[in-house]
Amino acid sequence: MKHILSILLVMTFFTTSFARKATWIYYPGDYEIWLGNEMQNRRTERGGFFPPFWKMDSHYVAVEFSTKLDLPAAEEIEIYVEGKYNIKLDGKILPAYDRMTIPAGKHNLNIKVYNQANVPAIYVKGKTFGSDETWKVTFEDKEWIDESGKASDTSSGTTYLNAGAWNFDSPDTPPSKFKLATTPMDAVKIENKEKGILVDFGKETFGFVKFHNLSGKGKLSVYYGESPEEALDKEYCETLDHFDFGNDSRDFVTPDSKAFRYIYIEKDNNLSFDNVSMLYEYLPLEYRGSFKCNDELINKIWDVSAYTMHLTSREFFIDGIKRDRWIWSGDAYQSYLMNYYLFFDSPSVSRTMLNLRGKDPVTSHTNTIMDYTFYWFMGIYDYLQYTGDYNFVQQFYPRMQSLMDFCLSRRNSNGMMEGLAGDWVFIDWADFKMSKSGEVSIEQLLFCRSLETMALCAKIMNDPENEKKYSALASDLREKLFTAFWSADKGAFIHNRENGKMSEQVTPYTNMFAVLFNYLDNEKTEAVKKNVLLNPDALKITTPYMRFYELEALCALGEHDYVLKEIRDYWGGMLNLGATSFWEKYNPDEKGTEHLAMYGRPYGKSLCHAWGASPIYLLGKYYIGVKPEKEGYKEFSIRPVLGDLKWMEGSVPTPDGDINVYMDKQQIKVSATEGEGYLYFTSVSKPKSNTGTIEQIEKDKYKIKITSSANEYIIKGKF
Amino acid sequence: MKHILSILLVMTFFTTSFARKATWIYYPGDYEIWLGNEMQNRRTERGGFFPPFWKMDSHYVAVEFSTKLDLPAAEEIEIYVEGKYNIKLDGKILPAYDRMTIPAGKHNLNIKVYNQANVPAIYVKGKTFGSDETWKVTFEDKEWIDESGKASDTSSGTTYLNAGAWNFDSPDTPPSKFKLATTPMDAVKIENKEKGILVDFGKETFGFVKFHNLSGKGKLSVYYGESPEEALDKEYCETLDHFDFGNDSRDFVTPDSKAFRYIYIEKDNNLSFDNVSMLYEYLPLEYRGSFKCNDELINKIWDVSAYTMHLTSREFFIDGIKRDRWIWSGDAYQSYLMNYYLFFDSPSVSRTMLNLRGKDPVTSHTNTIMDYTFYWFMGIYDYLQYTGDYNFVQQFYPRMQSLMDFCLSRRNSNGMMEGLAGDWVFIDWADFKMSKSGEVSIEQLLFCRSLETMALCAKIMNDPENEKKYSALASDLREKLFTAFWSADKGAFIHNRENGKMSEQVTPYTNMFAVLFNYLDNEKTEAVKKNVLLNPDALKITTPYMRFYELEALCALGEHDYVLKEIRDYWGGMLNLGATSFWEKYNPDEKGTEHLAMYGRPYGKSLCHAWGASPIYLLGKYYIGVKPEKEGYKEFSIRPVLGDLKWMEGSVPTPDGDINVYMDKQQIKVSATEGEGYLYFTSVSKPKSNTGTIEQIEKDKYKIKITSSANEYIIKGKF
């Protein structure tokens, strides 16, 4: 009896477990491409449609899904499909049933779907199994039949991947119907201005404008602004909507969501509405990371950074919410890093990386930008470290290789990357002039890091031949960096080399990344710190984008006090100017509406740009001090540093848990809900802990092992 | 005054000429892929959807169309677009106007379109210009703007092709709405059978079934058959339709067109209809080629071949109309050749070739079949020769190269092609057993011809480096063919070599193609003729597919009497069995319903298969005797041969004209409406002509130059 009972228990377990797990599945990477096309082709510029200028790929229009079954009993399944489809049970084609019974025993179940407009997707739910990421998918099953009617051996020559999925866990939520969430929000102020009304929603936001009880006949115009100046400038505001109503009487919601804080509305006299509000549109994400300290300005900067990050974390990580709303690899790379310290939403990272990669053949750099190709590789490096999702590499290694092949095919005779026709060498929006010609040192550095990433992935794929190849290419290039670009005279890397001739210019970029990548010996590190990073006469970065790496490099060099001061000045500077989200670019020397202009347009600058949110990352990684030491936080390190703060507390998310840290000058409290690692700290008095064993490393330097089995580690000392 | 007048005349000319020429345009190759997906995913098997098993590609979803204008006066244009779009005039984005005025002077006009479901397409019509194949298109314009708002130089790094177009010459006929033409046809016989009615349309046909005044409630089933046996066999007929009506009273037309001659209909008693007819569905094509002779059987064979060819010439050249309705490269290759002697519809050839090629990356052989990849290349060779459309190569040379690169990457250490995992080595549906393993000689031969085609295309592209490469590869392989496969012992090529060991088998394939490609010296030619082609003990071909090349080879060897006899026996044999179109396979030794079976299914055989129509080609090219000697019939040759006929007359279409030939034993009459060439003939008496000068080549052999300037050349002699 006992034996039978346990079998029943197992069966019950499977029933509930699998039935719960059924989800819509598709060819991995395809939904990411399709959804990206939907999103990125929503950009408008003053009413004109403004599509991306790089290649937009497509999903495979005919996809076969398959699974192998071994059913203890006959089982009825429900089948939901996006597309025209057939079912094949043990090789026999059946019509497109939406419900069928599969007999007990072993079976091959295949469903083949054709859909040109949307991504072929299926949702299958039985009692003991359902569609999930264990299903196999292919875009060419190569199953021909010979003259006798015998099917070819399909096990050979066809590449199968594991199905892709997100969170479409109900038959009623097919992937093609995906929408972001919305929630109603009221205006904080509505005032008459000029010939209409100016509505202020109190902070930068994103969504649909709602006109309550709109009635009558005539024209309605909405001018959006991140600033009141922009909303009121009908001739130059970046986005606008014009509507024409016949004779309506209803609540009217604008069809396309937009970014704004202010809207200026004009209408014909025969048209009226009772009120204006909005539907805030967002990706539902949990704020899993947190930060608090004694300095309210820093707290405010963290909060506004988190909001900026949330506004730009949408279908994908995008750049700015007003203008491009596109997926840019360099911008997204920073979002990945910030995400690890705020949402830890891995699907947002993989969705974004898959969209950016697109499909073969590679016809240009990612977003056409050379550096953005390299950030794509670097994103994988971090993704593996933070999430431990090796499955990503297993599925997409061929796409990594073909992108790297594209790079390798474009090297010059020195084995370096130079901008060829159609390549955009971006680097940064700088206020100083810099050359993008010849061999630009920062590009080689990022290329080198990309090659190291490929070596790591080859190792994961158990591909020793390519591991060797990529490693050799990386170390060769790393060596060349120093011979080609290091100036002993200037004690820094110079910017570029043209026709074999070193330029005279030192820019911060190569120097700060070299610190971050740990490519420098002590002497060179000190030189870079002195001659570039802390040199008041060095060229100034005016984008949060590159301040990200500059300040990170300074944190890595232990300049925590300096960095806090910079954060207060720079991000605090934006707050002083009324920012409710952080900007694409900020130059403290500019005045008034100069802050709004960019790209030769008075409101061209984006006042909510993902790369503005970096304090989240800096504070989480270098003050709270948490980072993974082994893939997926299997092992972590905690190196809390107060800088000039009196106290701070915060938590950093891990794949399935959190690491919580509190620190003041006398006490450090730490807990972790998964994994294990070490807390490293400096104390000028001998520290004590409530649990575990503190080990001394050198004078005043200690470590203590942290595991998730203890509730909380409390260390007393003089920090 | 005179000068001004002539300008006005010129302007009038442009106005009417260009306005007439406006047509829907799209990215070349994209519509062919999209339409192929539509068509090929209509296959059903007993109600179940049956999609192709190879990769289905997609159109580029975002495409930029551009043209440069120089307008004498401001001009209003109309704009029709399939997709979401913007207009850019001289670099400035405008909203999606459907009508706008362009000022006089020089302008850059760009229209960028996004469409996921259908192919981005535009139709622009002004007074002096319109959208046509002179417009440029790209799927990545790479036009970024720098911080100052300056657009990047778009002239570099972006590949532009000429726009593609077909015949969508009205704003009301956008490409996505394309439908084949239909025309009503009545049944020739309706009789009660079993529990329903059997309807006979008198011949093989294709279309929609129409139920006149269908009324009442209940189920209606339609069973389609190419034979009465199939239509009446509810369990095994290949295609069927089930409908369920609520309470209708209307004419009902089945939604999907099907192939059939017979339909068997069953219905519920509460359902009634007055009559059944059909809508014949077809591609409107002109029968430009013709053939008549004293032998009515041969005339009937030509007519039924032409009808077979027309039934299978649809959105694309397909294989059989009942079953696959897919585009198969080997089948299509023969359709191309037959087309040159019947419709001379070049767009049908290029449409089919572009669909078969699809897009990069190449992940398998064309249709997964190794030989079908090679037929794709060979199709280009002939296409250039017959149509002279070098523009095709200029647009698609990179796609030719990547397909050839795929082949080159799969050679074995002998430089030969062997079937790897996922490769289907097809050759033929043969009734004898043959190996598909190791180095199969026919595959190497076709590969060699493909390399020669690439060398020709490289030459057209002015790419001497690759011309040299492909030529060297071709001649190297040609040499190896003889060392590896020629058996002096058997006086023939043997079938294959496995592990370095020649097999013993001689099959007709390699031998007959070697004759066609002119690869053999006289001695080997005679050996092949004796030991294989005319050897009654040689292995027998039972498909019209390979009989095509077998009989062509015999024609090339001057065996016209023998070939006519074979045509009468083989195609006449099908007619004797009641064929109204020619079959996928015909073995005279089979009996009764054996003729209907294939693939292990009682009605698996297609009774209307493109490759059944080859007599059109053989009679046009080897009896009427017309073929191009230089690209696009700039120069042609006419070598009429009566065989055992008393007289024959026919015409062969050229790109913009016809060549007409009459011949009996005393007289040859020839006229050509374009181009020039020579009539070659043999006369045992000294011949005379009404015009031109007859030149003697050798004893009894003569030629006379034919130009389109003369009305008709009449040559009297003893032929």
Side-chain angles (χ1 to χ4, degrees), chain B residues 184-189 200-202 212 275-278:
Chain B
M185 304 267 278
D186 289 327
V188 299
K189 190 173 170 190
D200 177 6
F201 287 92
H212 298 252
N275 191 16
V276 185
S277 68
M278 71 166 293

Side-chain angles (χ1 to χ4, degrees), chain A residues 140 142 144 156-159, chain B residues 361-366 368-371 373-374 377 401-425 438-440 443-444 447 451 473 477:
Chain A
E140 50 177 4
K142 293 186 180 173
W144 64 81
S156 58
T158 299
T159 305
Chain B
V362 180
T363 58
S364 79
H365 280 295
T366 306
T368 76
I369 303 177
M370 187 192 288
D371 12 332
T373 296
F374 304 138
F377 287 108
Q401 287 184 293
S402 49
L403 183 57
M404 184 48 82
D405 284 346
F406 175 80
C407 296
L408 294 174
S409 74
R410 295 168 80 84
R411 287 171 297 168
N412 69 12
S413 57
N414 296 325
M416 292 196 191
M417 299 291 285
E418 280 192 56
L420 300 179
D423 295 353
W424 182 0
V425 177
E439 295 156 335
V440 179
E443 300 291 344
Q444 317 314 321
F447 182 28
L451 286 162
L473 286 165
L477 188 57

Side-chain angles (χ1 to χ4, degrees), chain A residues 314-422:
Chain A
R314 309 187 65 80
E315 291 91 343
F316 301 88
F317 291 127
I318 60 172
D319 62 334
I321 62 175
K322 175 173 73 175
R323 206 187 50 228
D324 296 17
R325 300 157 57 159
W326 290 344
I327 309 167
W328 292 95
S329 182
D331 309 51
Y333 176 67
Q334 300 194 345
S335 293
Y336 308 154
L337 292 173
M338 297 185 270
N339 168 66
Y340 299 131
Y341 290 89
L342 184 60
F343 308 121
F344 209 107
D345 189 56
S346 305
S348 287
V349 182
S350 60
R351 256 189 346 268
T352 303
M353 291 199 300
L354 287 173
N355 179 278
L356 283 167
R357 178 55 191 86
K359 289 210 169 151
D360 287 337
V362 180
T363 58
S364 80
H365 280 295
T366 307
N367 307 119
T368 75
I369 303 178
M370 187 192 287
D371 11 334
Y372 279 28
T373 296
F374 303 139
Y375 290 121
W376 188 81
F377 287 108
M378 289 161 57
I380 290 167
Y381 195 96
D382 300 323
Y383 181 72
L384 296 172
Q385 189 72 354
Y386 279 88
T387 71
D389 175 15
Y390 281 17
N391 179 54
F392 183 90
V393 182
Q394 269 135 17
Q395 299 258 89
F396 301 108
Y397 183 60
R399 294 192 201 188
M400 296 177 198
Q401 287 184 292
S402 49
L403 183 57
M404 185 49 82
D405 285 345
F406 175 80
C407 296
L408 294 174
S409 75
R410 293 168 82 83
R411 287 171 298 167
N412 69 14
S413 57
N414 296 325
M416 293 197 191
M417 299 290 285
E418 280 190 59
L420 301 179

